[in-house]
């Protein structure tokens, strides 16, 4: 029976497991995808499996049926044998009770022949004979104890103190039984039963002295002068026999109970059977008879065990072959299923949720949030990742993606969902209390700080410097649909990248207006560059009415100590926009970089600067700014040299101004490009020195010809000593390394005098000249005037 219960439990557990597996399935679309993936694998094996399935199934079913039938027959036989033994014990025990009652009735008649008709007032010698009779008859009938009491239950023969004490112990236990026997005698008319015979003794099983015993009480019947039995008995005979003595011996001998023993509690060991002895009057358990049963079914099964083992071995072998074949198919199924899950819901590289799973979780959060719960979505784009990926290969790029994802996960620390949307784009989903939603920017600020730290890749062979731009959108409750929330985060990210990257932007309504204006400006810039490119292909100049809207302005550079002498000029691009007026580079240069037109725009600026410089400032240095994206182009050096040849401009008069960011993005390629240009005579200037990724090794490693002291340090010369210290240190360092220096943003005579005193080579600023168009360039050649400062790029 326990085996059947275990089988049912196992079946139920397996059924529950299948149900749970079904409910935890990521979705119906995933099941459809999996079914398509594995259907081909199963179709190839279907025919071969169908050949073996009927044969193996029939063989296993037949063998199992034979085994089960044999076991079932043996178990049923054992159960029937046990039931028969228990029934025989019950019957035999009842016979023992009846036998004790009959024996006590006979003994009571013997006592009646020795006792007088009434109890005398004092003892006499007649009681000595009665006592001897009792001792003899007790031993003959194998009783534990025989007691003679009067109608009130008092002991008659109380000469033995030990017997008296024993009776005092058992008297309360016999009281109920004694009263029933005495009352039955009184209720019986003239002391006779229905059949006319005298009232016989009664026997019951009850607990005495803590042991189960067969106890019998019989009235001692006296006959009157007329031979009738007196209705009220004067004496009663009490006798008891313990079950763990003669009774158990007789049961064991007559019924063949192997190892029969009596126990007060159920302590049967394995292989033993227990028979519970109950009190006749109350049915309470008072003891247990335990023996080792005779199980014919087990003997049969034991003889059949070798044959059963052989059958099971054959069945097991067939089943093993079947399982082995099916296991291969199952492993293929599991691999296909796992791969399908990864493709469907997880990013294979980072093991993060992919775009689909992120969208599902956002939908779930949006559907389950209440009015006091806010949803925050952040889009993260890694800056300068493409440069690392293109320079060192996709393996390094993948390692960088993994490391970046790990850092972002550490910042989140399980407080939200981080997903990889594709490439170098990530997304974060946070659910915050309404009062905490204003602090979500702290999390994204930490992410920006973590991504800014250098990455050690390829076992510390490569150190990569990147950053990230983040766009954030938030909503409360269901006020904003998930699709709109994603769109807003994307708009905010676009704005963050337009602001120069490495920052975060929180969506607000004004961004939409700025975004639309930006998109319009991008279209207009693309159109303008297309017009310029078309005119260049025709090798024709635009007429006065259709001249380029992109103009090249020049700010002259003057020799320190002799400011009337112009040593060169810096070319600065401006866009004369028909709607917005004259635009500075910071309005459209980032746009050109984001849409991939910076190379085309840079070539136009360089070409115009060389043409104008040759005609307006012959043999003077023309400085042109170069974007980091231009320097990452492997054809940049060839393009510059080609422009110089077509413009017939001397390479020694060209100075390319770079920021240290351009050198950090791809140092090896930057070094190769700059070496090629310097080999042709082009000079390299390091712009904004001290404000970016400053490293003294750059000055030597990349062969820098000039350092430009940033205007932020020059501006401090009149107000703080720190500015003077920095300017003096940079000038001294450059002089010791044989590098020339140019100070930008010189606006006052005090700044000029200090820079000349510390040995700065060249000066540039509004004190000498404002940026002017090409036609006005010579007019400012010998003028030095202080102009009101304005912001210039």
């Amino acid at each position: 029976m326990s085996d059947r219960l275990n089988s049912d439990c196992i079946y139920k557990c397996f059924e529950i497991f299948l149900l749970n597996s079904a409910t935890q399935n990521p979705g119906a679309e995933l099941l459809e995808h999996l079914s398509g993936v594995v259907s081909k694998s199963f179709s190839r094996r279907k025919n071969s499996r169908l050949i073996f399935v009927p044969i193996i199934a029939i063989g296993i079913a037949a063998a199992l049926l034979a085994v089960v039938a044999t076991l079932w027959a043996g178990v049923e036989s054992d159960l029937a044998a046990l039931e028969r033994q228990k029934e025989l014990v019950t019957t035999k025990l009842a016979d023992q009770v009846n036998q004790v009652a009959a024996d006590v009735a006979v003994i009571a008649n013997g006592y009646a022949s020795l006792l007088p008709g009434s109890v005398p007032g004092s003892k006499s010698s007649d009681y000595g004979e009665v006592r001897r009779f009792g001792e003899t008859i007790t031993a003959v009938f194998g009783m534990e104890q025989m007691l003679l009491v009067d109608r009130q239950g008092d002991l008659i023969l109380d000469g033995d103190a030990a017997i008296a004490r024993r009776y005092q112990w058992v008297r309360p236990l016999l009281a109920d039984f004694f009263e029933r026997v005495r009352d039955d005698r009184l209720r019986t008319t003239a002391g006779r039963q229905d059949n006319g015979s005298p009232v016989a003794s009664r026997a019951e099983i009850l607990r005495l002295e803590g042991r189960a015993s067969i106890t019998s009480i019989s009235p001692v019947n006296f006959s009157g002068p007329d031979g009738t039995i007196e209705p009220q008995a004067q004496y009663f005979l009490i006798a008891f026999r313990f079950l763990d003595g003669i009774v158990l011996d007789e049961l064991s001998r007559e019924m063949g109970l192997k190892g029969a023993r009596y126990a007060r509690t159920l302590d049967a060991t394995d292989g033993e059977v227990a028979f519970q002895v109950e009190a006749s009057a109350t049915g309470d358990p008072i003891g247990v008879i335990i023996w080792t049963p005779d199980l014919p079914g087990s003997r049969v099964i034991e003889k059949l065990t070798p044959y059963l083992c052989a059958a099971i071995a054959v069945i097991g072998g067939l089943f093993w072959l079947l399982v082995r074949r099916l296991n291969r198919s199952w492993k293929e199924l599991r691999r296909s299923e796992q791969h399908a899950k990864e493709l469907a819901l997880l990013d294979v590289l980072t093991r993060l949720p992919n775009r689909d799973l992120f969208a599902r979780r956002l939908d779930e959060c949006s559907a389950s949030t209440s009015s006091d719960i806010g949803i925050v979505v952040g889009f993260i784009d890694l800056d300068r990742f493409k440069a690392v990926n293109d320079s060192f290969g996709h393996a390094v790029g993948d390692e960088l993606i993994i490391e970046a994802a790990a850092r972002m996960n550490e910042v989140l620390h399980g407080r939200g969902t981080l997903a990889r949307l594709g490439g170098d784009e990530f997304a974060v989903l946070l659910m915050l209390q309404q009062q905490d939603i204003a602090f979500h920017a702290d999390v994204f600020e930490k992410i920006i700080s973590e991504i800014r730290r250098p990455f050690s890749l390829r076992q510390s062979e490569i150190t990569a410097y990147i950053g990230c731009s983040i766009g954030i959108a938030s909503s409360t409750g269901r006020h904003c649909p998930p699709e709109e929330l994603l769109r807003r985060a994307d708009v905010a990210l676009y704005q963050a990248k337009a602001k120069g990257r490495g920052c975060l932007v929180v969506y607000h309504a004004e961004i939409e207006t700025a975004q639309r204006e930006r998109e319009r400006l991008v279209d207009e810039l693309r159109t303008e560059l297309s017009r310029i490119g078309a005119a260049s292909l025709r090798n024709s100049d635009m007429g006065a009415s259709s001249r380029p809207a992109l103009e090249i302005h020049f700010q002259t550079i003057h020799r320190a100590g002799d400011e009337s002498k112009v040593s060169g000029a810096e070319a600065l691009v401006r866009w004369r926009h028909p709607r917005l007026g004259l635009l500075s580079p910071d309005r459209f240069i980032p746009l050109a970089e984001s849409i991939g037109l910076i190379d085309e725009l840079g070539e136009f600026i360089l070409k115009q600067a060389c043409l104008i410089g040759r005609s307006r400032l012959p043999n003077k240095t023309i400085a042109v700014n170069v974007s980091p994206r231009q320097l990452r182009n492997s054809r940049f050096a060839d393009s510059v040299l080609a422009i110089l040849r077509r413009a017939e401009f001397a390479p020694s008069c060209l100075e390319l101004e770079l920021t240290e960011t351009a050198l950090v993005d791809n140092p090896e390629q930057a070094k190769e490009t700059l070496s090629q240009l310097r080999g042709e005579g082009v000079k390299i200037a390091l712009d904004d020195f001290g404000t970016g990724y400053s490293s003294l090794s750059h000055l030597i490693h990349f062969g820098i010809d000039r350092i430009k002291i940033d205007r932020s340090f020059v501006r401090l010369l009149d107000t703080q000593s720190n500015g003077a210290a920095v300017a003096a240190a940079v000038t001294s360092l450059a002089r010791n390394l044989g590098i020339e220096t140019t100070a930008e943003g010189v606006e006052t005579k005090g700044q000029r005098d200090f820079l000349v005193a510390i040995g700065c080579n060249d000066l540039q600023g509004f004190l000498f000249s404002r940026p002017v168009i090409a036609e006005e360039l010579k007019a400012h050649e010998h003028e030095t005037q202080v102009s009101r400062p304005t912001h210039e790029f």
Side-chain angles (χ1 to χ4, degrees), residues 506-706:
V506 180
Y507 175 87
H508 51 83
E510 290 75 10
I511 291 182
E512 295 283 6
T513 303
Q515 179 68 19
R516 286 192 291 269
E517 176 62 28
R518 183 181 186 279
E519 292 174 356
R520 183 177 180 183
L521 203 60
V522 165
D523 292 338
E524 292 172 343
L525 178 60
R526 185 180 283 110
T527 301
E528 181 63 24
L529 290 176
S530 297
R531 291 177 60 245
I532 293 173
S536 177
L537 290 175
R538 294 194 301 269
N539 292 322
S540 62
D541 295 331
M542 295 182 177
S545 59
S546 59
R547 63 187 304 172
L550 295 172
E551 300 177 354
I552 306 300
H553 291 201
F554 292 86
Q555 186 177 30
T556 55
I557 302 172
H558 298 258
R559 181 64 61 181
D562 186 9
E563 290 80 14
S564 62
K565 182 179 181 181
V566 176
S567 60
E570 180 179 2
L572 303 170
V573 65
R574 300 290 186 267
W575 186 3
R576 195 170 296 279
H577 198 276
R579 288 187 302 107
L580 305 176
L582 192 65
L583 301 181
S584 60
D586 58 350
R587 291 288 302 276
F588 58 89
I589 291 295
L591 297 182
E593 290 179 335
S594 64
I595 61 177
L597 294 178
I598 189 62
D599 291 329
E600 185 177 348
L601 178 59
E603 290 178 0
F604 167 75
I605 296 172
L606 181 60
K607 177 181 179 182
Q608 294 297 313
C610 292
L611 292 174
I612 296 173
R614 187 189 65 181
S615 61
R616 296 287 179 176
L617 293 177
N619 301 321
K620 303 292 185 180
T621 298
I622 300 298
V624 179
N625 289 282
V626 176
S627 167
R629 287 183 177 266
Q630 289 179 266
L631 196 60
R632 287 201 294 266
N633 189 343
S634 59
R635 298 177 57 253
F636 175 71
D638 296 334
S639 175
V640 171
L641 297 176
I643 292 174
L644 292 176
R645 287 192 295 270
R646 287 196 297 269
E648 298 180 356
F649 190 79
S652 59
C653 294
L654 177 64
E655 186 174 88
L656 299 180
E657 294 187 1
L658 311 172
T659 62
E660 289 190 277
T661 302
L663 304 179
V664 171
D665 282 348
N666 192 345
E668 297 301 326
Q669 183 175 329
K671 181 180 180 181
E672 181 180 351
T673 299
L674 297 182
S675 297
Q676 183 180 352
L677 291 172
R678 294 184 77 246
E680 297 294 333
V682 177
K683 292 187 286 292
I684 306 299
L686 193 59
D687 198 9
D688 302 334
F689 182 77
T691 61
Y693 297 98
S694 297
S695 174
L696 299 181
S697 64
H698 293 163
L699 303 178
I700 302 174
H701 186 68
F702 293 99
I704 302 300
D705 299 295
R706 181 181 298 274

Side-chain angles (χ1 to χ4, degrees), residues 281-490:
T282 62
D284 296 333
I286 58 176
V288 180
I289 299 176
I290 301 173
W291 71 92
T292 302
D294 180 22
L295 302 176
S298 297
R299 291 198 306 271
V300 173
I301 293 176
E302 185 177 356
K303 293 181 180 180
L304 293 178
T305 298
Y307 304 100
L308 292 175
C309 292
I312 292 174
V314 173
I315 295 174
L318 295 175
F319 186 74
W320 179 79
L321 293 175
L322 175 63
V323 170
R324 184 178 179 182
R325 294 182 63 86
L326 293 180
N327 189 46
R328 296 175 185 172
S329 301
W330 177 250
K331 286 182 178 179
E332 292 181 2
L333 173 63
R334 294 294 296 173
R335 284 194 294 267
S336 300
E337 180 183 4
Q338 185 65 26
H339 184 62
K341 286 182 179 179
E342 292 178 355
L343 293 178
L345 299 173
L346 293 179
D347 176 62
V348 178
L349 181 62
T350 62
R351 301 295 177 179
L352 293 176
N354 62 7
R355 185 184 297 271
D356 291 339
L357 184 55
F358 182 82
R360 291 184 190 179
R361 292 186 178 177
L362 178 59
D363 291 338
E364 293 172 358
C365 293
S366 179
S368 61
T369 52
S370 58
S371 58
D372 60 340
I373 300 295
I375 300 176
V376 178
V377 172
F379 279 179
I380 304 173
D381 185 81
L382 301 183
D383 301 331
R384 297 185 294 276
F385 168 76
K386 187 176 185 299
V388 176
N389 194 60
D390 293 344
S391 302
F392 302 107
H394 295 294
V396 174
D398 291 345
E399 186 180 355
L400 179 58
I401 288 290
I402 295 172
E403 291 294 330
R407 290 188 184 183
M408 287 186 277
N409 256 332
E410 289 181 2
V411 173
L412 292 176
H413 198 60
R415 290 177 292 181
T417 297
L418 174 65
R420 185 188 180 203
L421 304 184
D424 59 347
E425 297 180 359
F426 295 84
V428 173
L429 173 63
L430 298 174
M431 293 184 65
L432 302 173
Q433 295 290 334
Q434 181 61 28
Q435 61 270 19
D436 298 332
I437 198 169
F439 301 102
H440 66 272
D442 295 341
V443 176
F444 294 102
E445 289 286 2
K446 291 180 181 178
I447 291 177
I448 292 177
S449 299
E450 285 295 317
I451 300 301
R452 278 178 180 166
R453 292 194 297 109
F455 289 84
S456 181
L457 307 174
R458 196 186 286 172
Q459 297 180 352
S460 302
E461 292 182 4
I462 299 172
T463 300
Y465 295 86
I466 64 171
C468 67
S469 303
I470 302 179
I472 306 172
S474 61
S475 70
T476 303
R478 302 182 183 179
H479 298 163
C480 183
E483 297 79 7
E484 177 64 16
L485 197 60
L486 294 175
R487 190 191 69 82
R488 292 180 180 181
D490 191 53

Side-chain angles (χ1 to χ4, degrees), residues 702-760:
F702 293 99
I704 302 300
D705 299 295
R706 181 181 298 274
I707 294 176
K708 301 195 72 174
I709 302 175
D710 188 68
R711 68 181 69 244
S712 62
F713 299 125
V714 175
R715 190 179 298 116
L716 297 176
L717 294 178
D718 296 330
T719 59
Q720 298 183 17
S721 60
N722 293 340
V726 172
V730 173
T731 303
S732 176
L733 174 66
R735 184 168 53 251
N736 292 332
L737 294 176
I739 300 174
E740 294 189 343
T741 54
T742 299
E744 294 181 300
V746 181
E747 300 175 354
T748 66
K749 291 182 179 180
Q751 294 171 351
R752 177 198 62 187
D753 295 341
F754 179 82
L755 292 169
V756 171
I758 64 176
C760 189

Side-chain angles (χ1 to χ4, degrees), residues 488-505:
R488 292 180 180 181
D490 191 53
V491 169
L493 175 62
Y494 202 75
Q495 184 70 13
K497 292 191 289 186
K499 288 177 64 176
R501 306 177 183 274
C503 63
L504 65 86
V505 172

